[in-house]
């Protein structure tokens, strides 16, 4: 297949925040994940130094916290100051010691150099509690909450710019779920108080691909919101843990950007597409495994709803299917960079995250290396690309239907600072090599032919099979670098099966 790239056709400049992440008070994401006071692997503030280094290497640009469902009955005041009040978290039905709160979270963000992004409690919370949190974080000295922050050791405000009002409050599973009408009113009043507290905040609110919910939200709150938040987990195995196999995961890549298309359409229809951006602030191929947790069946035991969560820790389940799917979605986010300004992989540490921790070590799962490739090797200017004679394949989805999908997914990028091109070339085939022919106009530029004779390097992730994974003492998925010589017109490059490749042409 021939890939036509025209660097004059720029789709946009992607915001680095599309490579963002999410961490929730669930299972071992915080306690025993990034935060482990007393561990010989932790620093003086109790943060796992190996995890901090791994987060810095993929340049985490923004970290959403503290939930997720957790937040909808969370009261931030109980987790700041000298006296912490353990709370029984009614979302996940466990006690949270509240020893990791706002101050620890901000410290984490400072250590990894990322923007904080706080999701507030719009389940049992109030507009006042949300705006008090903004006071605590962002006011210099005015009011009791800024003074409380100072008393707790942080003299300067945290300047938290990104705030979400609520998390999935449309869902029956959410504590304090709301109707569409009630939601519009609550978000409006919350946004009013938060904006009055700090007009420098950028607010978003929980939404989904539902017209009634979104129209009501946007009619009430379009003047207050800079973002609209949506979530998606494609392999919904929260209750069953019945992982989709490689072919079924590839079936999920068909129409992978449908949620973005639907929200774009609504924003455009309401003439808001230039004012409000999409924050895809929870996404992962795999739903988190937490069976029965939303069940109100009498006599439920911890063996039924709590202990099974450890099965998320099975590293052998995070294979090249997860890596290839993740790359396909990152390509989609880049292609929609005009309207998607933030995305948060859910989560970053443990559960289905790209980093797994245990008391004496850490595993970088296959998806970690996809972020490494996209953050560290790909460009930030998204170029229009089209494929001639695009290869296709047929796969079976979980329902047993035959689904046709493109075999190859190509994204072309340039660099706002620097020269050259970088392509993200994904071969979804389970067993077939796919060849691409690069058609890049080699016009005269300042008297020299552009790209001709430029060095071509390829950074590839493929593993040895579709089932390749990483675990303690087992490293089957890592980035391999190849020198492909010098660029020439109609250069042909072979993509290994089940592979994610960054092809760098020029510097
Ligand atoms: O499975 C984890 C949950 O998924 C998050 O807490 C919530 O936001 C989403 O429904």
């Amino acid at each position: 297949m021939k890939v036509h790239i025209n660097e004059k056709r720029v789709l946009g400049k992607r915001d680095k925040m599309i490579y963002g992440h999410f961490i929730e008070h669930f299972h071992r994401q915080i306690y025993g994940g990034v935060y482990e006071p007393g561990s010989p692997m932790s620093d003086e503030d109790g943060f796992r130094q190996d995890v901090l280094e791994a987060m810095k290497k993929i340049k985490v640009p923004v970290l959403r916290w503290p939930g997720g469902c957790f937040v909808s009955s969370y009261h931030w005041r109980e987790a700041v100051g000298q006296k912490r009040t353990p709370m029984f978290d009614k979302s996940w039905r466990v006690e949270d010691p509240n020893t990791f709160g706002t101050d620890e979270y901000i410290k984490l963000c400072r250590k990894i150099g990322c923007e904080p992004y706080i999701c507030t409690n719009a389940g049992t919370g109030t507009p006042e509690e949300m705006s008090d949190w903004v006071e605590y974080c962002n006011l210099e000295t005015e009011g009791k909450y800024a003074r409380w922050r100072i008393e707790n050791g942080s003299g300067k405000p945290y300047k938290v710019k990104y705030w979400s009002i609520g998390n999935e409050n449309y869902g029956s599973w959410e504590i304090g779920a709301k109707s569409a009408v009630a939601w519009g009113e609550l978000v409006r009043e919350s946004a009013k108080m938060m904006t009055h507290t700090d007009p420098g905040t950028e607010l978003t609110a929980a939404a989904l691909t539902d017209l009634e919910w979104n129209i009501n939200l946007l009619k009430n709150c379009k003047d207050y919101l800079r973002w609209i938040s949506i979530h998606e987990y494609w392999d919904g195995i929260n209750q069953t843990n019945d992982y989709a196999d490689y072919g079924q995961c590839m079936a999920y890549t068909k129409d992978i950007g449908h949620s973005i298309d639907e929200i774009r359409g609504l924003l455009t229809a309401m003439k808001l597409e230039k004012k409000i951006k999409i924050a895809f602030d929870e996404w992962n191929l795999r739903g988190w495994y937490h069976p029965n947790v939303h069940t109100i069946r009498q006599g439920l035991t911890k063996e039924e709803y709590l202990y099974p969560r450890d099965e998320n820790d099975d590293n052998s389940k995070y294979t090249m299917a997860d890596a290839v799917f993740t790359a396909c979605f990152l390509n989609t986010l880049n292609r929609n960079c005009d309207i998607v300004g933030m995305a948060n992989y859910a989560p970053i540490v443990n559960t289905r995250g790209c980093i797994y921790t245990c008391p004496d070590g850490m595993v970088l799962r296959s998806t970690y290396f996809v972020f490494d490739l996209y953050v560290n090797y790909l460009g930030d200017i998204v170029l229009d690309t089209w494929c001639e004679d695009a290869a296709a394949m047929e796969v079976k989805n979980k329902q047993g239907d035959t689904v046709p999908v493109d075999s190859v997914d190509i994204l072309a990028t340039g660099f706002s600072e620097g020269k050259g091109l970088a392509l993200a070339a994904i071969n979804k085939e389970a067993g077939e090599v796919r060849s691409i022919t690069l058609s890049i106009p080699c016009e005269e530029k300042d008297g020299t032919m552009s790209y001709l004779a430029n060095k071509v390097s390829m950074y590839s992730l493929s593993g040895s099979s579709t089932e390749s994974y990483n675990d303690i003492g087992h490293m089957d998925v890592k980035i391999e670098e190849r020198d492909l010589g010098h660029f020439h017109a109609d250069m042909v490059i072979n993509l290994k099966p089940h592979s994610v490749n960054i092809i760098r042409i020029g510097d």
Side-chain angles (χ1 to χ4, degrees):
M1 62 188 273
K2 183 169 272 193
V3 180
H4 295 271
I5 298 164
N6 186 334
E7 58 185 325
K8 290 196 173 75
R9 285 180 54 79
V10 173
L11 296 184
K13 181 172 189 275
R14 64 100 178 97
D15 191 310
K16 65 181 179 181
M17 289 204 300
I18 64 170
Y19 300 127
H21 291 269
F22 169 52
I23 196 163
E24 178 167 359
H25 288 241
F26 173 83
H27 202 226
R28 296 188 307 104
Q29 295 178 31
I30 299 283
Y31 307 105
V34 69
Y35 189 61
E36 200 171 2
S39 163
M41 304 178 80
S42 294
D43 66 12
E44 68 285 357
D45 295 310
F47 294 97
R48 279 283 295 264
Q49 296 182 87
D50 50 348
V51 178
L52 294 180
E53 288 311 308
M55 292 170 89
K56 285 193 282 190
K57 186 167 189 306
I58 56 174
K59 299 187 178 73
V60 174
V62 59
L63 185 66
R64 177 172 179 256
W65 170 84
C69 294
F70 168 82
V71 78
S72 292
S73 53
Y74 173 71
H75 296 293
W76 66 270
R77 296 183 188 89
E78 296 174 352
V80 293
Q82 298 310 312
K83 184 182 178 316
R84 304 296 173 95
T85 313
M87 74 169 237
F88 184 74
D89 163 19
K90 296 183 177 68
S91 292
W92 298 122
R93 304 165 74 155
V94 293
E95 180 179 275
D96 189 301
N98 271 334
T99 50
F100 185 99
T102 304
D103 300 319
E104 290 75 25
Y105 164 68
I106 294 294
K107 203 172 277 187
L108 169 61
C109 292
R110 299 295 188 256
K111 285 177 183 276
I112 61 176
C114 76
E115 282 288 333
Y117 168 19
I118 293 178
C119 181
T120 63
N121 172 4
T124 63
T126 64
E128 191 159 36
E129 182 182 32
M130 296 181 218
S131 54
D132 291 349
W133 205 354
V134 178
E135 282 192 46
Y136 183 84
C137 290
N138 290 0
L139 292 186
E140 294 272 350
T141 56
E142 299 157 287
K144 62 182 176 186
Y145 293 112
R147 290 189 174 85
W148 192 20
R149 183 198 67 245
I150 294 166
E151 186 188 306
N152 291 334
S154 300
K156 294 193 178 307
Y158 294 147
K159 297 187 172 29
V160 179
K161 182 175 174 184
Y162 303 107
W163 295 80
S164 172
I165 297 167
N167 174 79
E168 299 188 358
N169 303 83
Y170 44 81
S172 58
W173 58 85
E174 198 82 6
I175 301 279
K178 301 284 186 300
S179 68
V181 170
W183 183 242
E185 292 160 358
L186 175 64
V187 172
R188 185 189 62 229
E189 293 314 305
S190 305
K192 188 188 298 178
M193 289 187 79
M194 294 165 84
T195 305
H196 287 193
T197 304
D198 179 358
T201 53
E202 289 194 20
L203 304 181
T204 184
L208 72 170
T209 52
D210 175 277
L211 276 179
E212 184 197 359
W213 181 272
N214 291 346
I215 289 171
N216 197 69
L217 171 64
L218 293 169
K219 272 167 52 179
N220 276 283
C221 309
K222 64 183 183 299
D223 296 334
Y224 288 102
L225 299 180
R226 295 287 299 278
W227 303 81
I228 184 169
S229 288
I230 55 174
H231 297 169
E232 193 151 1
Y233 297 86
W234 282 260
D235 196 23
I237 53 179
N238 309 56
Q239 184 63 26
T240 59
N241 215 27
D242 62 332
Y243 291 79
D245 65 24
Y246 185 85
Q248 292 164 345
C249 290
M250 294 308 106
Y252 286 129
T253 67
K254 185 170 177 55
D255 304 328
I256 195 171
H258 74 93
S259 299
I260 297 170
D261 296 342
E262 290 178 51
I263 301 296
R264 176 197 290 276
L266 175 63
L267 290 172
T268 305
M270 296 181 76
K271 295 183 174 32
L272 294 171
E273 79 284 359
K274 300 294 184 207
K275 178 185 180 300
I276 293 178
K277 288 204 163 191
I278 296 171
F280 216 117
D281 57 22
E282 279 187 38
W283 69 273
N284 194 313
L285 164 63
R286 315 275 187 196
W288 305 0
Y289 183 49
H290 40 63
N292 305 311
V293 71
H294 302 307
T295 306
I296 54 172
R297 173 161 55 86
Q298 297 307 308
L300 202 66
T301 64
K302 290 186 176 176
E303 284 73 19
E304 292 176 285
Y305 74 84
L306 181 58
Y307 306 142
R309 295 175 195 178
D310 289 339
E311 293 176 45
N312 287 289
D313 293 346
D314 180 354
N315 290 313
S316 70
K317 299 295 186 194
Y318 305 101
T319 67
M320 284 311 299
D322 300 77
V324 169
F325 178 92
T326 297
C328 288
F329 192 60
L330 292 180
N331 276 8
T332 302
L333 291 171
N334 274 280
R335 279 191 280 266
N336 287 279
C337 63
D338 63 312
I339 200 148
V340 180
M342 183 194 307
N344 305 75
Y345 190 66
I348 183 167
V349 177
N350 292 327
T351 312
R352 304 287 192 206
C354 55
I355 300 169
Y356 165 81
T357 68
C358 54
D360 54 2
M362 175 180 73
V363 175
L364 301 178
R365 290 170 170 167
S366 64
T367 46
Y368 177 88
F369 294 100
V370 175
F371 280 96
D372 188 355
L373 284 174
Y374 276 69
V375 164
N376 292 310
Y377 295 90
L378 203 55
D380 58 340
I381 303 297
V382 181
L383 304 175
D384 196 9
T385 311
W386 68 280
C387 296
E388 191 178 344
D389 302 329
M393 63 190 200
E394 288 191 336
V395 290
K396 292 278 190 195
N397 65 15
K398 263 190 164 176
Q399 291 71 39
D401 306 321
T402 299
V403 177
V405 296
D406 290 341
S407 298
V408 174
D409 186 326
I410 305 273
L411 174 78
T413 65
F415 294 82
S416 56
E417 290 172 16
K419 295 186 292 184
L421 290 177
L423 313 185
I426 304 162
N427 178 4
K428 303 185 220 175
E429 295 274 4
E432 302 289 324
V433 170
R434 284 291 176 197
S435 299
I436 57 175
T437 302
L438 300 184
S439 170
I440 304 173
C442 289
E443 297 159 11
E444 289 279 339
K445 254 177 144 181
D446 315 320
T448 59
M449 296 296 281
S450 65
Y451 303 121
L452 283 186
N454 271 225
K455 182 173 177 296
V456 183
S457 306
M458 184 153 85
Y459 304 86
S460 299
L461 199 61
S462 65
S464 53
S465 83
T466 57
E467 303 314 299
S468 290
Y469 67 92
N470 292 335
D471 203 345
I472 300 284
H474 176 91
M475 186 81 178
D476 193 9
V477 181
K478 55 186 177 294
I479 294 171
E480 292 165 341
E481 181 178 351
R482 285 168 55 208
D483 179 347
L484 299 185
H486 293 93
F487 183 73
H488 54 80
D490 290 337
M491 184 171 188
V492 176
I493 295 176
N494 294 326
L495 306 177
K496 287 182 179 177
H498 52 77
S499 69
V500 179
N501 311 274
I502 303 290
I503 300 163
R504 290 291 296 263
I505 303 171
D507 291 1

